[in-house]
Amino acid sequence: MPSTIPTKPIRIGMIGAGTVGGGVYEIIMGRLRSQSQSNGSASPSKGSSNPFLRPCIISKICVRDKNKPRSFQIDQHVTAVVTDINSIVDDENIDLVVEVMGGIGIAKTAVLKSLKKGKHVVSANKMLIAECLDEIRESALKSRSKFAYEGAVCAGIPIIQALQSCFTGDIIHEVMAICNGTTNYMLCKMEEGADFDEVLKEAQDLGFAEADPTADVEGHDVRAKIAILAKLAFGTTINVDSIPCMGIAEITSVDFEYAKLLGCTIKLIGAAERLSDFGEHDGDLSVYVAPKLVPMSHLLSTARGAGNAVAIKSANLGITSYTGPGAGRFPTANSVVSDIIRVASGNACHDPFPLTSNIEPDFDYISAFYVRITFHDELGIIRRVGELAEINGVSICSILQNPIKDRMSADFVVTTEECRFSQVQQMCKDIGDEDFAHNVPLIMPMLSE
């Protein structure tokens, strides 16, 4: 790290001024600016000076509507507000572009064009990065520009930095992540007895969930994030749309009752695991997103509210865990600002995705499964379920059933030994075709102790 502070400030153009953009502006132009100014003063205030902090100025912000009210104050004497991304991308005085607008269309154009022009880029756009990571990487390496994206996954947890630099002498076997604060908040509330629609509205009122919550509750947000983590951990580029993805919309309070009987809770998890072929963890790469039964003794069960958690299993370290805030203005903004500081100080990773490999993906993942069957009562149901399990090569581990209160609508749960997802999926389709079944049973993978 340099021993003296560069005197020339790094000039930033920010595209997007929503929740995260507002937080970035307030940190850079408020707290960080005060520290930078104190570095150059004769008598800096005690505890406020950072001797390695390069001055940063957000000189332009690009927005769709200049007249839209903002949740933060923009210093008009320092920061120009524009509506054309090219006024930032083509400005030779802009050193670094911060993209926090989201989406793939305009954001992709802005990111790639900025990198091509030799500007550094910081982004929190997980959808863009997951869909275009090879293209972004190639552009950054070709132009020798830095591309940093800590804010794209797990908000305030520095998981990107950890995977880029802290496992270089290690071999990662598995990554499991609770990386959507909205759904974790909802599942925690449902565990306490709230129903799905009730807690979704509450999450929207609190600003955790969007007006259209599809990306969160259907698991698409987690799918993009686990694709990024899988690339970092294993070096394999995953087609996002190929990742098996189940959301939380079908989970009810009944599932939490049965989960409790099994000593578990339920978490929406993105998982990437190297399967074992001839030896340990030497096979294909299994990647999926699903609500998962997690033992209460497992560290992932401790993520509460909008919190996120990541568990990494590796050859040298065993299991390491990372926890922290998974949503909100300042947790994500803090990660974006950390990237800005790393770029400004010359400490950002040269290659945004340092690991490359030819490991093949395998989306037909292996797990023990929880299967909830809703039925109207008649003789022979459990026998028939057992027959269909046998036909599909699924071995039943246990059967759980609460006392039947309504013979026309009751539930029981089957847990399985480890098998392929396709096997239990076909078993459930076959059960759904039976006269006693109300619908296709709910499937959730189970995390072992």
Side-chain angles (χ1 to χ4, degrees):
M1 186 171 283
S3 58
T4 59
I5 311 165
T7 55
K8 182 184 176 182
I10 187 165
R11 304 185 71 83
I12 299 167
M14 186 165 71
I15 302 173
T19 300
V20 175
V24 171
Y25 192 88
E26 290 181 331
I27 295 172
I28 292 286
M29 302 301 287
R31 305 167 196 173
L32 210 60
R33 195 177 180 191
S34 298
Q35 291 186 41
S36 298
Q37 290 172 346
S38 73
N39 290 334
S41 64
S43 303
S45 59
K46 184 177 180 181
S48 65
S49 178
N50 184 340
F52 304 114
L53 188 61
R54 181 177 177 182
C56 298
I57 296 173
I58 298 179
S59 54
K60 284 185 180 179
I61 297 179
C62 181
V63 298
R64 289 188 179 90
D65 182 1
K66 280 187 178 183
N67 299 318
K68 180 181 177 180
R70 307 286 165 199
S71 59
F72 61 101
Q73 293 294 318
I74 298 174
D75 186 343
Q76 303 285 350
H77 300 292
V78 178
T79 306
V81 180
V82 300
T83 56
D84 182 3
I85 63 167
N86 292 312
S87 65
I88 288 178
V89 175
D90 295 333
D91 188 340
E92 294 182 357
N93 294 315
I94 297 291
D95 305 299
L96 186 151
V97 174
V98 174
E99 185 275 304
V100 285
M101 70 177 297
I104 294 178
I106 297 173
K108 179 180 178 180
T109 300
V111 166
L112 293 177
K113 190 174 179 181
S114 296
L115 290 171
K116 185 177 181 180
K117 285 180 171 288
K119 300 183 189 298
H120 305 301
V121 175
V122 172
S123 175
N125 190 338
K126 66 266 181 180
M127 296 296 182
L128 170 63
I129 297 165
E131 293 279 355
C132 309
L133 61 85
D134 283 337
E135 192 175 357
I136 290 170
R137 177 178 183 264
E138 182 182 354
S139 184
L141 293 178
K142 185 175 181 179
S143 65
R144 297 186 178 181
S145 300
K146 300 295 191 298
F147 178 77
Y149 53 100
E150 189 66 72
V153 182
C154 291
I157 304 173
I159 192 63
I160 303 299
Q161 175 79 354
L163 286 169
Q164 284 176 331
S165 60
C166 298
F167 289 86
T168 50
D170 205 345
I171 300 173
I172 294 175
H173 298 324
E174 182 180 34
V175 177
M176 289 191 296
I178 297 170
C179 50
N180 182 276
T182 299
T183 50
N184 200 56
Y185 174 85
M186 291 176 65
L187 288 171
C188 287
K189 287 291 185 179
M190 290 171 69
E191 187 174 26
E192 296 169 2
D195 65 33
F196 179 87
D197 291 335
E198 173 190 347
V199 76
L200 174 58
K201 183 179 185 306
E202 183 179 334
Q204 289 171 324
D205 291 342
L206 290 170
F208 292 150
E210 301 290 341
D212 179 2
T214 303
D216 290 326
V217 300
E218 294 299 330
H220 302 161
D221 177 82
V222 176
R223 184 173 61 180
K225 291 172 179 175
I226 196 61
I228 294 170
L229 296 181
K231 174 65 173 178
L232 283 166
F234 301 98
T236 299
T237 301
I238 303 294
N239 182 326
V240 178
D241 292 334
S242 298
I243 298 174
C245 185
M246 293 189 290
I248 67 168
E250 302 303 316
I251 296 172
T252 70
S253 59
V254 171
D255 297 305
F256 281 100
E257 291 176 15
Y258 282 116
K260 187 176 181 180
L261 290 175
L262 292 163
C264 296
T265 186
I266 301 171
K267 299 291 185 184
L268 182 63
I269 289 178
E273 179 185 7
R274 188 84 187 267
L275 301 176
S276 296
D277 195 354
F278 296 104
E280 187 178 1
H281 304 291
D282 64 343
D284 294 339
L285 178 61
S286 176
V287 184
Y288 62 93
V289 174
K292 200 164 187 174
L293 266 72
V294 178
M296 295 302 294
S297 58
H298 196 281
L299 61 94
L300 289 179
S301 72
T302 63
R304 308 303 298 172
N308 280 189
V310 183
I312 299 175
K313 183 180 180 181
S314 65
N316 295 342
L317 300 178
I319 296 178
T320 53
S321 61
Y322 306 80
T323 61
R329 183 188 196 95
F330 287 112
T332 308
N334 183 75
S335 290
V336 172
V337 171
S338 295
D339 274 341
I340 292 170
I341 293 171
R342 276 191 285 268
V343 171
S345 62
N347 292 324
C349 192
H350 168 67
D351 187 339
F353 293 96
L355 186 62
T356 58
S357 76
N358 58 0
I359 303 171
E360 289 293 324
D362 181 351
F363 300 116
D364 191 13
Y365 61 93
I366 298 171
S367 177
F369 290 93
Y370 164 105
V371 177
R372 172 171 54 81
I373 301 161
T374 303
F375 64 96
H376 60 262
D377 195 23
E378 61 182 54
L379 290 174
I381 291 176
I382 290 178
R383 175 182 56 79
R384 183 57 180 156
V385 169
E387 290 172 348
L388 293 173
E390 182 181 6
I391 289 169
N392 288 284
V394 176
S395 177
I396 292 175
C397 177
S398 67
I399 298 174
L400 297 85
Q401 183 174 340
N402 287 325
I404 294 176
K405 297 179 181 178
D406 181 354
R407 301 186 71 86
M408 297 306 296
S409 181
D411 301 276
F412 73 96
V413 164
V414 168
T415 67
T416 77
E417 303 287 354
E418 284 193 347
C419 62
R420 291 279 182 177
F421 175 60
S422 60
Q423 292 174 281
V424 76
Q425 191 176 41
Q426 184 59 52
M427 181 190 81
C428 287
K429 286 180 180 177
D430 292 345
I431 293 172
D433 289 337
E434 296 291 320
D435 290 339
F436 61 78
H438 284 203
N439 46 37
V440 176
L442 173 72
I443 309 169
M444 288 189 283
M446 300 177 69
L447 179 60
S448 59
E449 290 282 358

